[in-house]
Amino acid sequence: GLSGYQDLPGEGDNSPLTGIYVNNLVMMIFKPRALYLGTFVGSPQYYTFRLFLIGPGCISQDTIQDYRDGQVCWLGDDNVYMGVPGELPQRIGDKIRVRIRQTCSLEGLTTATAVIDLDNDLYTIFVPRASDGRILKAFTCNLRNLSWWEWDYTLPTTGAYITAVESVRFAAWTNTIVVGDSSGNVYISSFGNTSDAGNSYVGH
């Protein structure tokens, strides 16, 4: 008896919803080129929505990741963004925008995924390669200084690609990245190097 619905504001925008982020107070609703905010108001509507920004939308739900101090990172169709819900987001991907266009399958970016390693303050986006469409190309941002590096993830199974990635925290200062692939395998990845030089990930 308490269910219902609301139409998002913005007449004529029939683009799909591409991402949702919720914390205790605010909901962020993404379209490819728009960001809506939902403010908690309690029963029976629970949230009231408004169009917040045109432009910095999100193109893949799986790239939306919590960082620190209420900040959220995500991949838009024109940049990578980081921000606190309700505030103007920061463009953090200027240094890699050209490389994404050159090396990635732009049509397949809706399948991109991402993970944050909080121990090392690293946000990594996995995207489909232009050469074969497989999700094996990666871009990692050091969120402390917003430096980026680019690399390829090598899976031992021929033809396999990344389908899921998750950060798992076992204890204080113990963070592990778990990667699933299209062949049904699961790998644990660890950092052999956290600087901009050298190989960053090693699959096990």
Side-chain angles (χ1 to χ4, degrees):
L2 295 178
S3 62
Y5 72 92
Q6 298 180 58
D7 290 326
L8 289 176
E11 294 294 330
D13 181 6
N14 296 319
S15 59
L17 296 181
T18 51
I20 297 175
Y21 170 81
V22 183
N23 63 20
N24 292 334
L25 299 174
V26 178
M27 181 183 298
M28 300 169 76
I29 305 291
F30 293 95
K31 290 189 172 188
R33 296 285 297 164
L35 168 58
Y36 297 81
L37 289 182
T39 303
F40 184 76
V41 294
S43 178
Q45 280 192 313
Y46 291 98
Y47 287 89
T48 181
F49 296 96
R50 64 186 174 95
L51 177 60
F52 182 64
L53 283 175
I54 297 291
C58 176
I59 57 173
S60 174
Q61 166 74 36
D62 291 338
T63 64
I64 303 172
Q65 297 291 321
D66 268 315
Y67 182 41
R68 303 183 188 278
D69 303 319
Q71 297 184 93
V72 184
C73 300
W74 69 89
L75 175 64
D77 76 340
D78 63 342
N79 214 311
V80 184
Y81 293 93
M82 179 171 66
V84 176
E87 299 180 7
L88 289 176
Q90 177 183 5
R91 297 174 182 264
I92 64 172
D94 287 346
K95 297 175 182 176
I96 61 164
R97 291 177 70 234
V98 172
R99 287 299 297 164
I100 287 180
R101 288 197 301 269
Q102 291 173 340
T103 64
C104 302
S105 167
L106 299 182
E107 297 79 12
L109 279 180
T110 56
T111 62
T113 188
V115 67
I116 281 187
D117 179 344
L118 286 177
D119 287 348
N120 296 288
D121 296 297
L122 300 175
Y123 175 62
T124 299
I125 305 168
F126 297 92
V127 296
R129 299 188 300 199
S131 59
D132 56 15
R134 293 191 294 151
I135 301 178
L136 292 172
K137 171 65 68 177
F139 294 88
T140 296
C141 180
N142 182 335
L143 296 173
R144 298 173 190 164
N145 59 21
L146 301 185
S147 62
W148 285 88
W149 67 93
E150 169 190 343
W151 49 285
D152 287 275
Y153 199 103
T154 301
L155 292 169
T157 304
T158 301
Y161 55 90
I162 293 171
T163 55
V165 60
E166 188 66 46
S167 176
V168 180
R169 197 174 187 88
F170 292 106
W173 301 101
T174 305
N175 199 71
T176 299
I177 306 298
V178 178
V179 174
D181 74 7
S182 57
S183 297
N185 299 312
V186 177
Y187 302 94
I188 294 176
S189 293
S190 60
F191 281 97
N193 189 323
T194 57
S195 73
D196 285 355
N199 297 321
S200 304
Y201 280 91
V202 179
H204 298 283

